[in-house]
Coordinates of all heavy atoms in Angstrom, one line a residue:
M1098 N 101.6 107.5 77.5 CA 100.3 106.9 77.7 C 99.9 106.1 76.4 O 100.1 106.7 75.3 CB 99.2 107.9 78.0 CG 97.9 107.4 78.1 SD 96.6 108.6 78.6 CE 96.6 109.7 77.2
R1099 N 99.5 105.0 76.5 CA 99.1 104.2 75.3 C 97.6 104.5 75.0 O 96.7 104.5 75.8 CB 99.3 102.7 75.6 CG 100.7 102.4 75.7 CD 100.8 100.9 75.8 NE 102.2 100.5 75.8 CZ 102.7 99.5 76.4 NH1 101.9 98.7 77.1 NH2 104.0 99.2 76.4
A1100 N 97.4 104.7 73.7 CA 96.0 105.0 73.2 C 95.2 103.7 73.3 O 94.0 103.8 73.5 CB 96.0 105.5 71.8
R1101 N 95.9 102.6 73.2 CA 95.1 101.3 73.3 C 94.5 101.1 74.6 O 93.4 100.7 74.8 CB 96.1 100.1 72.9 CG 95.4 98.8 72.9 CD 96.4 97.7 72.7 NE 95.8 96.4 72.6 CZ 95.4 95.7 73.7 NH1 95.7 96.1 74.9 NH2 94.8 94.5 73.6
S1102 N 95.2 101.4 75.7 CA 94.7 101.2 77.1 C 93.5 102.1 77.3 O 92.5 101.7 78.0 CB 95.8 101.4 78.1 OG 96.3 102.7 78.1
V1103 N 93.6 103.4 76.8 CA 92.5 104.3 77.0 C 91.3 103.8 76.2 O 90.1 103.8 76.7 CB 92.9 105.7 76.5 CG1 91.7 106.7 76.5 CG2 94.0 106.3 77.4
F1104 N 91.5 103.3 75.0 CA 90.4 102.8 74.2 C 89.8 101.6 74.8 O 88.5 101.5 74.9 CB 91.0 102.4 72.8 CG 89.9 101.9 71.8 CD1 88.9 102.7 71.3 CD2 89.9 100.5 71.5 CE1 88.0 102.2 70.5 CE2 88.9 100.0 70.7 CZ 88.0 100.8 70.2
V1105 N 90.6 100.6 75.3 CA 90.0 99.4 75.9 C 89.2 99.8 77.2 O 88.1 99.3 77.4 CB 91.2 98.5 76.3 CG1 90.7 97.4 77.2 CG2 91.8 97.9 75.0
Y1106 N 89.7 100.7 78.0 CA 89.0 101.1 79.2 C 87.7 101.8 78.9 O 86.7 101.5 79.5 CB 89.9 102.0 80.1 CG 89.2 102.4 81.3 CD1 88.9 101.5 82.4 CD2 88.8 103.8 81.5 CE1 88.3 101.9 83.5 CE2 88.2 104.1 82.7 CZ 88.0 103.2 83.7 OH 87.3 103.6 84.8
S1107 N 87.7 102.7 77.8 CA 86.5 103.4 77.4 C 85.4 102.4 76.9 O 84.3 102.5 77.3 CB 86.8 104.4 76.4 OG 87.7 105.4 76.9
V1108 N 85.8 101.5 76.1 CA 84.9 100.5 75.5 C 84.3 99.6 76.7 O 83.1 99.4 76.7 CB 85.6 99.6 74.5 CG1 84.7 98.4 74.1 CG2 85.9 100.5 73.2
L1109 N 85.1 99.2 77.6 CA 84.7 98.4 78.7 C 83.7 99.1 79.6 O 82.7 98.6 80.0 CB 85.8 97.8 79.5 CG 86.7 96.8 78.8 CD1 87.9 96.4 79.7 CD2 85.8 95.5 78.5
R1110 N 84.0 100.4 79.8 CA 83.0 101.3 80.6 C 81.7 101.4 79.9 O 80.6 101.4 80.5 CB 83.6 102.6 80.9 CG 84.7 102.7 82.0 CD 84.1 102.4 83.3 NE 83.0 103.3 83.7 CZ 83.1 104.3 84.5 NH1 84.3 104.6 85.1 NH2 82.1 105.0 84.9
L1111 N 81.8 101.7 78.6 CA 80.5 101.8 77.8 C 79.7 100.5 77.8 O 78.5 100.5 78.0 CB 80.8 102.2 76.4 CG 81.1 103.7 76.1 CD1 81.6 103.9 74.7 CD2 79.9 104.5 76.4
L1112 N 80.4 99.4 77.7 CA 79.7 98.1 77.7 C 79.1 97.8 79.1 O 78.0 97.3 79.2 CB 80.6 97.0 77.4 CG 80.9 96.8 75.9 CD1 82.0 95.7 75.6 CD2 79.7 96.6 75.1
A1113 N 79.8 98.3 80.2 CA 79.3 98.1 81.5 C 78.0 98.9 81.7 O 77.2 98.5 82.6 CB 80.3 98.5 82.5
F1114 N 77.8 99.9 80.9 CA 76.5 100.7 81.0 C 75.5 100.2 80.0 O 74.3 100.0 80.4 CB 76.7 102.2 80.8 CG 75.5 102.9 80.6 CD1 74.7 103.3 81.7 CD2 75.0 103.3 79.4 CE1 73.5 104.0 81.6 CE2 73.8 104.1 79.3 CZ 73.1 104.4 80.4
L1115 N 75.9 99.9 78.8 CA 75.0 99.6 77.7 C 74.3 98.2 77.9 O 73.1 98.1 77.5 CB 75.6 99.7 76.4 CG 76.0 101.2 75.9 CD1 76.8 101.1 74.6 CD2 74.8 102.0 75.8
V1116 N 75.1 97.2 78.3 CA 74.5 95.9 78.5 C 73.4 95.9 79.5 O 72.3 95.4 79.3 CB 75.6 94.9 78.8 CG1 75.0 93.5 79.2 CG2 76.5 94.7 77.6
P1117 N 73.6 96.4 80.8 CA 72.5 96.5 81.7 C 71.3 97.3 81.2 O 70.2 97.0 81.5 CB 73.1 97.1 83.0 CG 74.5 96.8 82.9 CD 74.9 96.8 81.4
F1118 N 71.7 98.4 80.5 CA 70.6 99.3 80.0 C 69.7 98.6 79.0 O 68.5 98.6 79.0 CB 71.2 100.6 79.4 CG 70.1 101.5 78.9 CD1 69.3 102.2 79.8 CD2 70.0 101.8 77.6 CE1 68.4 103.1 79.4 CE2 69.0 102.7 77.1 CZ 68.2 103.3 78.0
G1119 N 70.4 97.8 78.1 CA 69.6 97.0 77.1 C 68.8 96.0 77.8 O 67.6 95.7 77.4
L1120 N 69.3 95.3 78.8 CA 68.5 94.3 79.5 C 67.4 94.9 80.2 O 66.3 94.3 80.2 CB 69.4 93.5 80.4 CG 70.5 92.6 79.8 CD1 71.4 92.0 80.8 CD2 69.9 91.5 78.9
L1121 N 67.6 96.0 80.8 CA 66.5 96.7 81.6 C 65.4 97.2 80.6 O 64.2 97.2 81.0 CB 67.0 97.8 82.4 CG 67.8 97.4 83.7 CD1 68.5 98.5 84.3 CD2 66.9 96.7 84.7
M1122 N 65.8 97.6 79.4 CA 64.8 98.1 78.5 C 64.0 96.9 77.9 O 62.9 97.2 77.3 CB 65.5 98.8 77.3 CG 66.1 100.2 77.7 SD 64.9 101.3 78.4 CE 64.1 101.8 76.8
L1123 N 64.4 95.7 78.1 CA 63.6 94.6 77.6 C 62.4 94.4 78.6 O 61.4 93.8 78.1 CB 64.4 93.3 77.6 CG 65.5 93.2 76.5 CD1 66.3 92.0 76.7 CD2 64.9 93.3 75.1
L1124 N 62.5 94.8 79.8 CA 61.4 94.7 80.7 C 60.3 95.7 80.4 O 60.6 96.9 80.0 CB 61.9 94.9 82.1 CG 62.9 93.9 82.6 CD1 63.4 94.4 84.0 CD2 62.4 92.5 82.7
P1125 N 59.0 95.4 80.6 CA 57.9 96.4 80.3 C 58.1 97.7 81.1 O 57.8 98.8 80.6 CB 56.7 95.6 80.7 CG 57.0 94.2 80.7 CD 58.5 94.1 81.0
I1126 N 58.4 97.6 82.4 CA 58.5 98.8 83.2 C 59.8 99.6 82.8 O 59.8 100.8 82.9 CB 58.6 98.5 84.7 CG1 58.3 99.7 85.5 CG2 59.9 97.8 85.1 CD1 57.9 99.4 86.9
G1127 N 60.8 98.9 82.2 CA 61.9 99.6 81.7 C 61.7 100.5 80.5 O 62.2 101.6 80.3
R1128 N 60.8 100.0 79.7 CA 60.4 100.8 78.5 C 59.5 102.0 78.9 O 59.5 103.0 78.2 CB 59.6 99.9 77.5 CG 60.6 99.1 76.7 CD 59.9 98.2 75.7 NE 59.6 97.0 76.5 CZ 58.8 96.0 76.2 NH1 58.2 96.1 75.1 NH2 58.7 95.0 77.0
E1129 N 58.7 101.8 79.9 CA 57.8 102.9 80.3 C 58.6 104.0 81.0 O 58.4 105.2 80.8 CB 56.7 102.3 81.2 CG 55.7 103.3 81.6 CD 54.5 102.7 82.4 OE1 54.3 101.5 82.3 OE2 53.8 103.5 83.0
F1130 N 59.5 103.6 81.9 CA 60.3 104.5 82.7 C 61.7 104.4 82.2 O 62.6 103.8 83.0 CB 60.2 104.3 84.2 CG 58.8 104.5 84.7 CD1 58.0 103.4 85.1 CD2 58.2 105.8 84.8 CE1 56.7 103.6 85.5 CE2 57.0 106.0 85.3 CZ 56.2 104.9 85.7
Y1131 N 62.1 104.9 81.0 CA 63.4 104.7 80.5 C 64.5 105.4 81.3 O 65.6 105.0 81.4 CB 63.5 105.2 79.0 CG 63.2 106.7 78.9 CD1 64.2 107.6 79.0 CD2 61.9 107.2 78.7 CE1 63.9 109.0 78.9 CE2 61.6 108.5 78.6 CZ 62.7 109.4 78.7 OH 62.4 110.7 78.6
W1132 N 64.1 106.5 82.0 CA 65.0 107.2 82.8 C 65.4 106.4 84.1 O 66.5 106.5 84.5 CB 64.5 108.6 83.2 CG 63.2 108.5 84.0 CD1 61.9 108.5 83.4 CD2 63.0 108.3 85.4 NE1 61.0 108.4 84.4 CE2 61.6 108.3 85.6 CE3 63.8 108.3 86.5 CZ2 61.1 108.1 86.9 CZ3 63.3 108.1 87.7 CH2 61.9 108.1 87.9
L1133 N 64.5 105.6 84.5 CA 64.8 104.7 85.7 C 65.7 103.6 85.2 O 66.6 103.2 86.0 CB 63.5 104.2 86.2 CG 63.5 103.5 87.6 CD1 64.1 104.4 88.6 CD2 62.2 102.9 88.0
S1134 N 65.5 103.1 84.0 CA 66.4 102.1 83.5 C 67.8 102.7 83.3 O 68.8 102.0 83.6 CB 65.9 101.6 82.1 OG 64.7 100.9 82.2
A1135 N 67.9 103.9 82.8 CA 69.2 104.5 82.7 C 69.9 104.8 84.0 O 71.1 104.6 84.2 CB 69.1 105.9 82.0
L1136 N 69.1 105.1 85.0 CA 69.7 105.3 86.4 C 70.2 104.0 87.0 O 71.3 104.0 87.5 CB 68.6 105.9 87.3 CG 69.1 106.3 88.7 CD1 70.1 107.4 88.7 CD2 67.9 106.6 89.5
F1137 N 69.4 103.0 86.9 CA 69.9 101.7 87.4 C 71.1 101.1 86.6 O 72.0 100.6 87.2 CB 68.7 100.7 87.4 CG 67.8 100.8 88.5 CD1 66.4 100.9 88.3 CD2 68.3 100.9 89.8 CE1 65.6 101.0 89.4 CE2 67.4 101.1 90.9 CZ 66.0 101.1 90.7
A1138 N 71.1 101.3 85.3 CA 72.2 100.9 84.4 C 73.4 101.7 84.8 O 74.5 101.1 84.8 CB 71.9 101.1 83.0
A1139 N 73.3 102.9 85.1 CA 74.5 103.7 85.5 C 75.0 103.2 86.9 O 76.3 103.1 87.0 CB 74.1 105.2 85.7
M1140 N 74.2 102.9 87.8 CA 74.6 102.3 89.1 C 75.3 101.0 88.9 O 76.3 100.7 89.5 CB 73.5 102.3 90.1 CG 73.0 103.7 90.5 SD 71.9 103.7 91.9 CE 70.5 102.7 91.3
I1141 N 74.7 100.1 88.1 CA 75.2 98.8 87.8 C 76.6 98.9 87.1 O 77.6 98.3 87.4 CB 74.3 97.9 87.0 CG1 73.0 97.6 87.9 CG2 74.9 96.7 86.5 CD1 71.9 97.0 87.1
G1142 N 76.7 99.8 86.1 CA 77.9 100.1 85.4 C 79.0 100.6 86.3 O 80.2 100.2 86.2
L1143 N 78.7 101.5 87.2 CA 79.7 102.0 88.1 C 80.2 100.9 89.1 O 81.4 100.7 89.3 CB 79.1 103.1 89.0 CG 80.0 103.7 90.1 CD1 81.2 104.4 89.4 CD2 79.2 104.6 90.9
S1144 N 79.3 100.0 89.5 CA 79.7 98.9 90.4 C 80.6 97.9 89.6 O 81.6 97.5 90.2 CB 78.4 98.2 90.9 OG 77.6 99.0 91.6
I1145 N 80.2 97.6 88.4 CA 81.0 96.7 87.6 C 82.4 97.3 87.4 O 83.4 96.6 87.5 CB 80.3 96.4 86.3 CG1 79.1 95.5 86.5 CG2 81.2 95.7 85.3 CD1 78.2 95.3 85.3
S1146 N 82.5 98.5 87.0 CA 83.8 99.1 86.8 C 84.6 99.2 88.0 O 85.8 99.0 87.9 CB 83.6 100.5 86.1 OG 83.4 101.5 87.1
L1147 N 84.0 99.5 89.2 CA 84.8 99.5 90.4 C 85.3 98.1 90.8 O 86.4 98.0 91.3 CB 84.0 100.1 91.5 CG 83.7 101.6 91.5 CD1 82.8 102.0 92.6 CD2 85.0 102.3 91.6
L1148 N 84.5 97.1 90.5 CA 84.9 95.7 90.9 C 85.9 95.1 89.9 O 86.8 94.4 90.3 CB 83.7 94.8 91.0 CG 82.8 95.2 92.2 CD1 81.5 94.3 92.1 CD2 83.5 94.9 93.5
F1149 N 85.6 95.2 88.6 CA 86.3 94.4 87.6 C 87.3 95.2 86.7 O 88.1 94.6 86.0 CB 85.3 93.7 86.7 CG 84.5 92.8 87.5 CD1 83.1 93.0 87.6 CD2 85.0 91.6 88.1 CE1 82.3 92.1 88.4 CE2 84.2 90.8 88.9 CZ 82.8 91.0 89.0
L1150 N 87.2 96.5 86.7 CA 88.0 97.3 85.7 C 89.2 98.1 86.4 O 89.6 99.1 85.9 CB 87.2 98.3 84.9 CG 86.1 97.6 84.1 CD1 85.3 98.7 83.3 CD2 86.7 96.6 83.1
R1151 N 89.6 97.5 87.5 CA 90.7 98.2 88.2 C 92.0 98.2 87.5 O 92.7 99.2 87.4 CB 90.9 97.5 89.6 CG 92.0 98.1 90.5 CD 91.9 99.6 90.8 NE 90.6 99.8 91.4 CZ 90.1 101.1 91.6 NH1 90.8 102.1 91.2 NH2 88.9 101.3 92.2
T1152 N 92.3 97.1 86.8 CA 93.6 97.0 86.1 C 93.7 97.9 84.9 O 94.7 98.7 84.8 CB 93.9 95.5 85.6 OG1 93.8 94.7 86.8 CG2 95.2 95.4 85.0
P1153 N 92.6 98.0 84.0 CA 92.7 99.0 82.9 C 92.7 100.4 83.5 O 93.4 101.3 82.9 CB 91.4 98.7 82.1 CG 91.0 97.3 82.5 CD 91.5 97.1 83.9
L1154 N 92.0 100.7 84.5 CA 92.1 102.0 85.1 C 93.5 102.4 85.6 O 93.9 103.5 85.4 CB 91.0 102.2 86.2 CG 91.0 103.5 86.9 CD1 90.6 104.6 86.0 CD2 90.0 103.5 88.1
D1155 N 94.1 101.5 86.2 CA 95.5 101.7 86.7 C 96.4 102.0 85.6 O 97.3 102.8 85.7 CB 96.0 100.5 87.6 CG 95.3 100.4 88.9 OD1 94.7 101.4 89.3 OD2 95.3 99.3 89.5
E1156 N 96.3 101.2 84.5 CA 97.1 101.5 83.3 C 96.9 102.9 82.7 O 97.9 103.6 82.4 CB 96.9 100.4 82.2 CG 97.3 99.0 82.6 CD 96.9 98.0 81.5 OE1 96.4 98.4 80.5 OE2 97.1 96.8 81.8
V1157 N 95.7 103.3 82.6 CA 95.4 104.6 82.1 C 95.9 105.7 83.0 O 96.5 106.7 82.6 CB 93.9 104.8 81.8 CG1 93.5 106.2 81.5 CG2 93.4 103.9 80.8
S1158 N 95.7 105.5 84.3 CA 96.2 106.5 85.3 C 97.7 106.6 85.3 O 98.3 107.7 85.4 CB 95.7 106.1 86.7 OG 94.3 106.1 86.8
A1159 N 98.4 105.5 85.2 CA 99.9 105.5 85.1 C 100.3 106.2 83.9 O 101.3 107.0 83.9 CB 100.4 104.1 85.2
G1160 N 99.7 106.0 82.8 CA 100.0 106.7 81.5 C 99.8 108.2 81.6 O 100.7 109.0 81.2
L1161 N 98.8 108.6 82.3 CA 98.5 110.0 82.4 C 99.5 110.7 83.4 O 100.0 111.8 83.1 CB 97.1 110.3 83.0 CG 96.0 110.0 82.0 CD1 94.6 110.1 82.7 CD2 96.0 111.0 80.9
A1162 N 99.9 109.9 84.4 CA 100.9 110.5 85.4 C 102.3 110.6 84.7 O 103.0 111.6 84.9 CB 101.0 109.5 86.5
E1163 N 102.6 109.6 83.8 CA 103.9 109.7 83.1 C 103.9 110.9 82.1 O 104.9 111.6 82.0 CB 104.1 108.4 82.3 CG 104.4 107.2 83.1 CD 104.5 105.9 82.3 OE1 104.4 106.0 81.1 OE2 104.6 104.9 82.9
R1164 N 102.8 111.1 81.5 CA 102.7 112.3 80.6 C 102.8 113.6 81.3 O 103.5 114.5 80.9 CB 101.4 112.3 79.8 CG 101.4 111.8 78.4 CD 100.1 111.8 77.8 NE 99.8 113.1 77.1 CZ 98.8 113.3 76.4 NH1 97.8 112.4 76.3 NH2 98.6 114.5 75.8
R1165 N 102.2 113.7 82.4 CA 102.2 114.9 83.2 C 103.6 115.2 83.7 O 104.1 116.3 83.7 CB 101.3 114.8 84.4 CG 101.3 116.1 85.2 CD 100.3 116.0 86.4 NE 99.0 115.8 85.9 CZ 98.0 115.4 86.7 NH1 98.3 115.1 88.0 NH2 96.8 115.2 86.3
E1166 N 104.3 114.1 84.2 CA 105.7 114.2 84.7 C 106.6 114.6 83.6 O 107.5 115.5 83.8 CB 106.1 112.9 85.3 CG 107.5 113.0 86.0 CD 107.5 114.1 87.2 OE1 106.4 114.2 87.8 OE2 108.5 114.7 87.4
A1167 N 106.4 114.1 82.4 CA 107.3 114.4 81.2 C 107.1 115.9 80.8 O 108.0 116.6 80.5 CB 106.9 113.5 80.0
R1168 N 105.8 116.4 80.9 CA 105.6 117.8 80.6 C 106.2 118.7 81.7 O 106.7 119.7 81.4 CB 104.1 118.1 80.5 CG 103.5 117.6 79.2 CD 102.1 118.1 79.1 NE 101.5 117.6 77.9 CZ 100.2 117.7 77.6 NH1 99.4 118.3 78.5 NH2 99.7 117.3 76.5
R1169 N 106.1 118.3 82.9 CA 106.7 119.0 84.0 C 108.2 119.1 83.8 O 108.8 120.2 84.0 CB 106.3 118.4 85.3 CG 106.7 119.3 86.5 CD 106.2 118.8 87.8 NE 104.8 118.8 87.8 CZ 104.0 118.0 88.4 NH1 104.5 117.0 89.2 NH2 102.7 118.1 88.4
R1170 N 108.9 118.0 83.5 CA 110.3 118.0 83.3 C 110.7 118.9 82.1 O 111.7 119.6 82.1 CB 110.8 116.6 83.1 CG 111.1 115.9 84.4 CD 111.7 114.6 84.2 NE 110.6 113.6 84.1 CZ 110.5 112.6 83.2 NH1 111.4 112.5 82.3 NH2 109.5 111.8 83.3
E1171 N 109.9 118.8 81.0 CA 110.2 119.5 79.8 C 110.1 121.0 80.1 O 110.9 121.8 79.7 CB 109.2 119.1 78.8 CG 109.3 119.9 77.5 CD 108.3 119.4 76.4 OE1 108.4 118.2 76.0 OE2 107.5 120.3 76.1
A1172 N 109.1 121.4 80.9 CA 108.9 122.8 81.2 C 110.0 123.3 82.1 O 110.5 124.4 81.9 CB 107.6 123.0 81.9
S1173 N 110.5 122.5 83.0 CA 111.6 123.0 83.9 C 112.9 123.1 83.1 O 113.7 123.9 83.4 CB 111.7 122.0 85.1 OG 112.1 120.7 84.7
D1174 N 113.1 122.2 82.2 CA 114.3 122.2 81.3 C 114.3 123.5 80.5 O 115.3 124.2 80.4 CB 114.4 121.0 80.4 CG 114.8 119.8 81.1 OD1 115.2 119.9 82.3 OD2 114.6 118.7 80.5
E1175 N 113.2 123.9 80.0 CA 113.1 125.1 79.2 C 113.3 126.3 80.1 O 114.0 127.3 79.7 CB 111.7 125.2 78.5 CG 111.5 124.2 77.4 CD 110.1 124.3 76.9 OE1 109.3 125.1 77.3 OE2 109.8 123.5 75.9
Q1176 N 112.8 126.3 81.3 CA 113.0 127.4 82.2 C 114.5 127.6 82.6 O 115.0 128.7 82.6 CB 112.2 127.2 83.5 CG 110.7 127.4 83.2 CD 109.9 127.0 84.4 OE1 110.4 126.5 85.4 NE2 108.6 127.2 84.3
V1177 N 115.2 126.5 82.8 CA 116.6 126.5 83.1 C 117.4 127.1 81.9 O 118.3 127.9 82.1 CB 117.1 125.1 83.5 CG1 118.6 125.1 83.5 CG2 116.5 124.7 84.8
E1178 N 117.0 126.6 80.7 CA 117.7 127.2 79.5 C 117.5 128.6 79.3 O 118.4 129.4 79.0 CB 117.3 126.4 78.3 CG 117.8 124.9 78.2 CD 117.1 124.1 77.1 OE1 116.3 124.7 76.3 OE2 117.5 123.0 77.0
D1179 N 116.2 129.1 79.5 CA 115.9 130.5 79.4 C 116.6 131.3 80.4 O 117.1 132.4 80.1 CB 114.4 130.7 79.6 CG 113.6 130.2 78.4 OD1 114.2 129.9 77.3 OD2 112.4 130.0 78.5
A1180 N 116.7 130.8 81.6 CA 117.5 131.5 82.7 C 118.9 131.6 82.3 O 119.5 132.7 82.5 CB 117.3 130.8 84.0
A1181 N 119.5 130.6 81.8 CA 120.9 130.6 81.4 C 121.2 131.6 80.3 O 122.2 132.3 80.2 CB 121.4 129.2 81.0
T1182 N 120.2 131.6 79.3 CA 120.3 132.5 78.2 C 120.2 134.0 78.7 O 120.9 134.9 78.2 CB 119.3 132.2 77.1 OG1 119.4 130.8 76.8 CG2 119.5 133.0 75.9
D1183 N 119.3 134.2 79.6 CA 119.1 135.6 80.1 C 120.3 136.1 80.8 O 120.5 137.3 80.8 CB 117.8 135.6 80.9 CG 116.5 135.4 80.1 OD1 116.6 135.6 78.9 OD2 115.5 135.1 80.7
E1184 N 121.0 135.2 81.5 CA 122.1 135.7 82.3 C 123.3 136.1 81.4 O 124.1 137.0 81.9 CB 122.6 134.6 83.3 CG 121.6 134.3 84.4 CD 122.1 133.1 85.3 OE1 123.2 132.6 85.0 OE2 121.4 132.8 86.2
T1185 N 123.4 135.6 80.3 CA 124.5 135.9 79.4 C 124.3 137.1 78.6 O 123.6 137.9 78.5 CB 124.9 134.8 78.5 OG1 123.8 134.5 77.7 CG2 125.4 133.6 79.2

């Protein structure tokens, strides 16, 4: 897994929330009901990430799957070695 892809995805997700939140806070009702601005910004950020951030998410998911598979293979190799050592 590349740290760069995780970093890029995280920054884009934060921007997808912070930009709408900042814009909503510019409105008078947004300043009065900040929790409502946060709620709408979260929904807008989720929608943006589902529509436009599919490729970075796929890269991060593929990296996590590769890491998990590598750990699984490593663990099984160790188990085979331990079993061979125990038999002798």
Side-chain angles (χ1 to χ4, degrees):
M1098 178 177 64
R1099 293 187 174 148
R1101 182 183 182 277
S1102 61
V1103 173
F1104 179 73
V1105 167
Y1106 181 68
S1107 299
V1108 167
L1109 290 174
R1110 283 291 305 258
L1111 279 172
L1112 285 175
F1114 171 76
L1115 291 175
V1116 170
F1118 183 68
L1120 292 174
L1121 288 170
M1122 289 300 287
L1123 292 175
L1124 301 173
I1126 195 160
R1128 280 177 273 169
E1129 187 173 339
F1130 298 107
Y1131 64 90
W1132 58 271
L1133 193 59
S1134 295
L1136 183 67
F1137 281 130
M1140 290 190 301
I1141 292 168
L1143 178 65
S1144 301
I1145 288 172
S1146 84
L1147 287 175
L1148 292 173
F1149 300 113
L1150 300 180
R1151 178 59 54 192
T1152 304
L1154 177 62
D1155 289 341
E1156 291 174 9
V1157 172
S1158 298
L1161 287 173
E1163 289 173 7
R1164 255 179 94 176
R1165 182 182 299 163
E1166 188 60 34
R1168 282 188 183 173
R1169 187 174 295 151
R1170 275 186 268 135
E1171 181 180 295
S1173 65
D1174 288 343
E1175 289 176 1
Q1176 291 171 353
V1177 170
E1178 290 173 0
D1179 290 342
T1182 306
D1183 290 341
E1184 288 178 3
T1185 59

